[in-house]
Amino acid sequence: MKSFYHYVLTYRGARDDKGRFAEAVFHDSIFPKTATDFNELSAYIEMQANADLATSVFDELWDTYATKYGL
């Protein structure tokens, strides 16, 4: 199973909110790159309070990630 980080990177280059989120994650040197746990990732996103790491986009991406990997 890919980490959430690696899953999100598949959206790099997209010209939408998911693409902006992916770019922000890519350039965030302390993003939890091996994490697969919703609570860990959600807490990180909420603590960043960054417009490019919008919680609504995270939730959307998490739903597709969780569905893909049966979480």
Side-chain angles (χ1 to χ4, degrees), residues 1-69:
M1 171 172 58
K2 285 185 181 181
S3 68
F4 181 75
Y5 171 81
H6 286 103
Y7 174 74
V8 167
L9 291 186
T10 65
Y11 289 91
R12 282 189 76 207
R15 296 176 182 240
D16 59 11
D17 291 340
K18 292 177 184 175
R20 281 187 289 283
F21 188 96
E23 280 301 316
V25 164
F26 178 75
H27 292 288
D28 183 344
S29 63
I30 61 169
F31 189 87
K33 293 177 175 62
T34 60
T36 59
D37 178 70
F38 174 82
N39 292 325
E40 178 184 355
L41 290 159
S42 180
Y44 180 82
I45 297 298
E46 289 175 11
M47 290 182 65
Q48 293 308 302
N50 180 328
D52 290 330
L53 292 177
T55 56
S56 60
V57 178
F58 166 72
D59 290 340
E60 197 175 328
L61 287 165
W62 177 265
D63 286 344
T64 58
Y65 173 75
T67 299
K68 180 176 178 112
Y69 292 105

